[in-house]
Amino acid sequence: MTSCAAPRSQTEPGTSMRRGACPSLAAPMQTGDGLLVRLRPATGGLTPAELRALAEAAADCGSGIIEVTARGNLQVRGLIASSVPALAAAIGEAGIAVTDGVAIETPPLAGFDPREIADPRPLAAALRDAIAERRPALALAPKLSIVIDGNGRFHLRDVAADLRLEARNSEDGLRWLLSFGGAGRPERPVALLEAERVVPALMEILAELDHFGPAARGRDLDADAIRQRLSAGLDPLPAAGGTSPFLPAGIHDFGDGRTVLGVALAFAQTDSASLIAFLQSAGELGATEIRLAPRHGLLVLGLSREAAALAQQLALSHGFLVSADDPRNNVATCAGLACASALMDTKVMAGLLLEVGADLLDGSLAIHLSGCPKGCARPVASPLTLVGAPSGYALVVNGAASVAPSAYTDEGGIKAALAALNALVRENKDAGESARSCLTRLGTAHIVDAFEQG
């Protein structure tokens, strides 16, 4: 058991509150509940024993709160400066390799998903090696992301990326569609590349971003110029992939007796004790590997169908989401008061919404609860976004947390305001109509009136 006992303090030397920084073992981030570390396993997954060891270290060295982010990264909260080295040592002792630097993401079931056109992991590994070996080293934006997607069942099309590669079948065989994008903007197809051209092309593009400066992102690239450079003489490019998301929760059948149990962390968080108990049971039932997944998911491999059903019930008993129709899937929350910027306890607000908002939470729309206007949990627009404000709570209709609010209510009126939104849907939707369609038909003015009048 790792010993991390040390006096706690609110501010730790050598840490950063800079917006846009990415917390890591080498550079943890100061938050409202201590230091935060984000981990990306270097391998495709972790064994139950490895993840259990990490959860034990999170409890010994931090608050015991563990998160899986919307992009599928693991976060450990509540650390202090003197406990971070002990966490790093425990991770090393467990045999867990983590990666830092440019975020190169592949689907959670890469190499396992029989529907994928190609396994994206070899390309991802080759690109990581090329970036690591490049001299002089590239100075890139901390949040720059590259997605390499084999185009399978559990894809990453709804995960924003500065640079995206998606496997495509063509008359000439396998090709990789390169697109530029980013949060809140359509992706721009740039080139269809043979596998051997991918790494040189991306290194050229990354060098261009390096030339622009350490804040440059995919949106800053001249897509037309790069398209001409890479694709001169080729036929018109296909459209980029759609954005239909997948929910990790559920029992997923991949044929040939291959079953994957998906669970998700309610409101992106769990505690070490719950995770350890679930992993212990899953391991005893035959689980061999755990893969982190976008939308706060854990995918459990190695279980039989019968064992997956048992593990699913155990996961539910420990507070995890286990089905796509769980209303908690439709609520996106940030860390809330665990963040120094937050003006709302998002976890308490999520519970209140579940209590009074059954008609809103029919699965047709996402509701974003953001502690402040930064909107970290969901930077894109949502049908309904509730934002913590100095005077109470602000409601944004069809927008992100950062845009001008449509309505306000105070601390005493928030429960009635949420209940009124729910009643607006319940009393006005037609037979078979979804909450989202109903609100769209009624329009912003009716939504604002209901919220403000309570």
Side-chain angles (χ1 to χ4, degrees):
M1 199 64 79
T2 304
S3 175
C4 298
R8 293 189 175 275
S9 62
Q10 286 299 107
T11 305
E12 302 292 347
T15 60
S16 174
M17 294 285 288
R18 180 171 62 85
R19 174 72 170 152
C22 291
S24 65
L25 279 170
M29 177 178 287
Q30 183 70 50
T31 67
D33 63 345
L35 297 179
L36 169 71
V37 163
R38 182 175 302 154
L39 304 169
R40 285 185 280 127
T43 56
L46 301 171
T47 68
E50 288 170 342
L51 187 53
R52 191 167 67 247
L54 196 154
E56 291 169 351
D60 291 341
C61 301
S63 64
I65 297 298
I66 294 172
E67 298 172 330
V68 176
T69 70
R71 300 185 73 95
N73 293 313
L74 191 144
Q75 295 185 160
V76 176
R77 303 195 71 94
L79 300 160
I80 57 175
S82 59
S83 68
V84 173
L87 175 67
I91 290 171
E93 290 170 5
I96 301 170
V98 296
T99 183
D100 54 15
V102 179
I104 302 174
E105 300 169 312
T106 57
L109 292 179
F112 177 92
D113 189 340
R115 295 190 191 177
E116 66 184 1
I117 294 172
D119 185 346
R121 295 175 299 173
L123 268 184
L127 182 59
R128 287 191 187 96
D129 289 343
I131 293 172
E133 294 167 2
R134 204 259 196 188
R135 296 292 180 272
L138 296 167
L140 301 169
K143 289 188 176 292
L144 184 86
S145 64
I146 302 170
V147 163
I148 305 180
D149 195 333
N151 205 357
R153 176 174 166 185
F154 277 19
H155 55 75
L156 295 182
R157 292 186 201 122
D158 59 324
V159 175
D162 293 277
L163 310 177
R164 181 185 303 277
L165 286 160
E166 185 175 295
R168 295 294 182 96
N169 283 319
S170 73
E171 293 181 357
D172 298 319
L174 172 65
R175 294 291 184 271
W176 293 88
L177 176 62
L178 171 64
S179 304
F180 298 159
R185 68 169 299 160
E187 291 198 343
R188 298 162 290 166
V190 176
L192 272 174
L193 301 173
E194 300 93 338
E196 61 269 19
R197 293 184 63 201
V198 167
V199 172
L202 261 64
M203 291 303 295
E204 182 181 317
I205 292 165
L206 292 175
E208 189 167 332
L209 287 170
D210 174 73
H211 176 73
F212 290 160
R217 304 290 296 273
R219 59 180 174 263
D220 301 311
L221 293 164
D222 187 336
D224 291 334
I226 295 174
R227 184 179 299 116
Q228 288 298 317
R229 200 161 69 230
L230 295 178
S231 303
L234 291 182
D235 293 333
L237 294 171
T243 57
S244 56
F246 75 87
L247 292 174
I251 296 177
H252 310 284
D253 183 6
F254 284 84
D256 296 326
R258 296 192 298 172
T259 298
V260 174
L261 169 64
V263 303
L265 278 58
F267 312 131
Q269 287 187 346
T270 187
D271 60 88
S272 292
S274 297
L275 182 58
I276 290 167
F278 169 65
L279 292 170
Q280 179 70 35
S281 299
E284 292 171 355
L285 288 168
T288 57
E289 187 178 5
I290 311 291
R291 297 200 185 183
L292 304 175
R295 300 174 73 91
H296 321 295
L298 300 172
L299 300 178
V300 185
L301 281 64
L303 297 173
S304 67
R305 177 79 189 195
E306 294 75 16
L310 290 173
Q312 185 181 51
Q313 292 306 307
L314 290 168
L316 181 62
S317 72
H318 292 297
F320 295 96
L321 304 181
V322 300
S323 65
D325 59 2
D326 191 309
R328 293 175 292 176
N329 281 307
N330 307 309
V331 183
T333 69
C334 65
L337 296 182
C339 173
S341 300
L343 297 170
M344 174 171 67
D345 189 331
T346 57
K347 311 307 179 185
V348 169
M349 192 59 60
L352 182 60
L353 181 59
L354 289 169
E355 178 184 341
V356 302
D359 295 281
L360 285 171
L361 300 174
D362 67 350
S364 65
L365 76 160
I367 299 178
H368 179 194
L369 306 179
S370 184
C372 75
K374 290 188 294 185
C376 297
R378 188 175 168 86
V380 298
S382 299
L384 297 174
T385 298
L386 189 67
V387 186
S391 58
Y393 305 96
L395 179 71
V396 178
V397 180
N398 294 321
S402 58
V403 307
S406 306
Y408 289 91
T409 192
D410 59 21
E411 183 78 29
I414 185 59
K415 182 174 183 178
L418 294 176
L421 289 178
N422 189 72
L424 182 68
V425 171
R426 185 180 64 248
E427 295 167 5
N428 289 279
K429 71 177 180 178
D430 297 328
E433 187 177 27
S434 69
R436 181 167 192 159
S437 296
C438 178
L439 292 175
T440 300
R441 175 171 54 80
L442 293 173
T444 300
H446 282 87
I447 297 170
V448 168
D449 286 345
F451 184 80
E452 292 190 329
Q453 293 175 14

